[in-house]
């Protein structure tokens, strides 16, 4: 075990059924099969969708446009699926089995029954203990910035014997508003390393409030650090200057326009052919083509009513552009197969 005691593998498995602690020193046991234990913490909405808790008064909240469910292949890593002993092929902890029993009793109890409130309290108490056990056994926790401030996770990480977060890695940090980026940093008060990955020259935080934008929330924590002067004349940022994705004819413009020509093409993309596209006038192969549809007589439509599946107010669409995109996609799919073609749009209304 991680605490240095030697057991037969079957004995450790039996011990984990009774308690998540070592039978000798009572330290929290990791998984008996070895390796790092990964835990994914989802938002409260997703947890309620997967394991709804009955209430006497059910207030309908704002309906989401997306179905909030955990993919089957991710359930074995999910905190709330593990806490409810619902992962197939996984031996649940003793705390998770008790949570499942309490949850099933609660679901079987009518909301008007005199024992309903007591059973709901029992379920919440068991769930708290199961969360504590799962968090204490994990080596790496994956979550969004906002979900990292869930009270359930905060309670598990501040309980007696809780592990200390030693490192915080924040991906897509250039897009996260500064208050969101501070959420995991505030949770990991004793972290020895904080690493931010991102690019503030690409998509910045999206602000719906002009007041918030003018107050500075449109600037991410990543951008502030990447552009500040730390006294040495250099910002604390390391630029990944080698690109492996784009054909050189595509990367040439962003490298010159946004990165001072510092982004270099890897040898693998220098040898890459331009692809199947060709300019309609010259017939010359081209890695990218731009088409301006403003002169085709089709007017852009601006959505005035929010509807499910077609975006919100302000979403845009253009039928002529859609027809042209479909024609090009069909031609490419006929030559390369459907799995090699993707059609992207800024607007849900255009996709619908």
């Amino acid at each position: 075990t991680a605490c240095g005691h030697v057991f037969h593998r079957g004995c450790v498995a039996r011990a984990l059924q009774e308690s998540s602690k070592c039978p000798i020193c009572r330290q929290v046991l990791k998984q008996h099969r070895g390796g790092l234990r990964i835990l994914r913490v989802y938002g409260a909405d997703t947890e309620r969708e997967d394991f709804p808790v009955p209430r006497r008064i059910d207030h309908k909240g704002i309906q989401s446009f997306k179905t909030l469910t955990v993919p089957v292949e991710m359930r074995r890593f999910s905190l709330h699926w593990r806490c409810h002993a619902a992962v197939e092929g996984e031996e649940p902890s003793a705390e998770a089995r008790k949570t499942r029993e309490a949850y099933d009793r609660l679901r079987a109890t009518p909301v008007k029954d005199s024992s309903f409130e007591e059973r709901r309290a029992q379920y919440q108490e068991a769930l708290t203990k199961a969360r504590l056990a799962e968090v204490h056994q994990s080596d790496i926790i994956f979550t969004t910035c906002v979900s990292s401030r869930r009270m359930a996770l905060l309670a598990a990480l501040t309980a007696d014997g809780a592990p200390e977060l030693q490192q915080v890695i924040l991906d897509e940090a250039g897009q996260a508003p500064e208050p969101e980026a501070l959420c995991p940093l505030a949770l990991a008060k004793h972290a020895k390393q904080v690493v931010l990955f991102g690019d503030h020259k690409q998509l910045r935080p999206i602000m719906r409030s002009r007041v918030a934008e003018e107050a500075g929330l449109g600037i991410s924590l990543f951008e502030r650090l990447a552009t500040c002067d730390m006294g040495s004349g250099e910002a604390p940022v390391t630029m990944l200057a080698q690109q492996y994705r784009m054909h050189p004819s595509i990367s040439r413009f962003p490298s010159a326009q946004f990165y001072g020509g510092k982004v270099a093409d890897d040898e693998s993309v220098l040898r890459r052919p331009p692809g199947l596209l060709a300019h309609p006038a010259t017939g010359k192969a081209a890695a990218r083509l731009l088409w301006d549809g403003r002169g085709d007589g089709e007017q852009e439509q601006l959505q005035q009513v929010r509807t499910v599946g077609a975006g919100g107010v302000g979403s845009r669409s253009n039928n002529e552009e859609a027809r042209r995109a479909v024609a090009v996609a069909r031609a490419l799919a006929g030559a390369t197969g459907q799995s090699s073609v993707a059609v992207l749009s800024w607007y849900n209304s255009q996709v619908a």
Side-chain angles (χ1 to χ4, degrees):
T1 64
C3 47
H5 298 111
V6 180
F7 295 93
H8 187 277
R9 187 179 297 272
C11 295
V12 175
R14 288 283 298 274
L16 284 172
Q17 293 178 14
E18 301 300 326
S19 172
S20 59
K21 296 182 179 180
C22 173
I24 294 180
C25 69
R26 308 305 295 169
Q27 288 190 37
V28 175
L29 285 172
K30 302 294 183 180
Q31 54 188 354
H32 61 83
R33 62 175 176 270
L36 294 176
R37 186 157 188 164
I38 297 172
L39 196 64
R40 171 69 163 93
V41 179
Y42 288 86
D45 288 342
T46 301
E47 186 168 341
R48 283 192 291 265
E49 184 75 18
D50 289 336
F51 298 96
V53 177
R55 292 176 291 183
R56 286 188 171 176
I57 301 177
D58 191 9
H59 297 285
K60 295 294 183 182
I62 298 175
Q63 298 299 308
S64 173
F65 282 90
K66 297 181 179 180
T67 303
L68 303 172
T69 56
V70 177
V72 175
E73 62 274 12
M74 288 297 297
R75 290 175 181 174
R76 62 187 293 254
F77 306 109
S78 167
L79 174 62
H80 63 276
W81 276 83
R82 296 188 65 85
C83 287
H84 286 82
V87 181
E88 293 186 9
E90 289 272 334
E91 184 65 33
S93 66
E95 295 85 353
R97 283 201 304 274
K98 292 178 180 178
T99 300
R100 186 69 197 198
E101 293 169 0
Y103 180 70
D104 291 340
R105 285 196 302 269
L106 176 63
R107 295 279 291 174
T109 304
V111 293
K112 294 183 179 180
D113 193 280
S114 59
S115 63
F116 177 78
E117 291 297 336
E118 180 183 358
R119 291 190 173 181
R120 186 168 67 172
Q122 292 172 349
Y123 163 68
Q124 293 294 344
E125 182 181 358
L127 180 58
T128 298
K129 293 179 180 179
R131 285 169 174 160
L132 192 65
E134 293 294 338
V135 169
H136 284 204
Q137 293 182 63
S138 63
D139 296 294
I140 303 174
I141 299 176
F142 286 90
T143 183
T144 63
C145 290
V146 174
S147 292
S148 70
R149 293 301 294 171
R150 284 192 60 186
M151 294 305 297
L153 181 59
L154 181 63
L157 287 172
T158 54
D160 292 339
E164 287 188 355
L165 299 179
Q166 300 294 317
Q167 186 181 61
V168 176
I169 300 176
L170 182 59
D171 196 17
E172 296 294 351
Q175 189 180 350
E178 192 163 3
E180 288 188 9
L182 292 174
C183 288
L185 304 187
L187 185 66
K189 296 180 179 180
H190 303 286
K192 297 179 180 179
Q193 286 183 316
V194 176
V195 183
L196 279 64
F197 288 95
D199 188 348
H200 60 285
K201 295 181 182 295
Q202 294 187 22
L203 189 60
R204 300 174 76 189
I206 298 175
M207 294 287 107
R208 297 184 181 274
S209 168
R210 186 180 299 273
V211 175
E213 179 81 27
E214 293 174 350
L217 287 180
I219 300 176
S220 65
L221 175 64
F222 181 90
E223 183 174 351
R224 293 190 194 279
L225 294 174
T227 57
C228 73
D229 186 352
M230 303 295 289
S232 61
E234 295 185 2
V237 62
T238 298
M239 181 176 178
L240 304 179
Q242 196 86 351
Q243 73 89 13
Y244 302 85
R245 297 180 178 180
M246 295 175 281
H247 189 273
S249 64
I250 300 177
S251 66
R252 190 177 302 120
F253 171 76
S255 177
Q257 184 72 17
F258 302 109
Y259 304 101
K262 295 179 180 179
V263 177
D265 301 312
D266 184 71
E267 182 67 26
S268 61
V269 297
L270 293 174
R271 297 193 303 265
R272 186 180 300 168
L276 299 176
L277 294 174
H279 196 283
T282 64
K284 184 178 179 180
R288 50 92 179 97
L289 293 173
L290 305 179
W291 172 64
D292 187 353
R294 289 177 295 181
D296 291 347
E298 185 75 27
Q299 295 295 319
E300 186 175 78
Q301 303 296 318
L302 185 65
Q303 189 165 320
Q304 303 295 334
V305 180
R306 187 182 189 188
T307 57
V308 176
V313 176
S315 191
R316 301 170 184 269
S317 64
N318 185 295
N319 290 331
E320 180 56 33
E321 288 183 8
R323 285 190 287 268
R324 176 63 67 92
V326 169
V328 174
R330 282 177 175 169
L332 287 172
T336 65
Q338 293 185 7
S339 61
S340 300
V341 180
V343 180
L344 307 179
S345 173
W346 284 105
Y347 301 104
N348 284 333
S349 184
Q350 180 75 346
V351 174

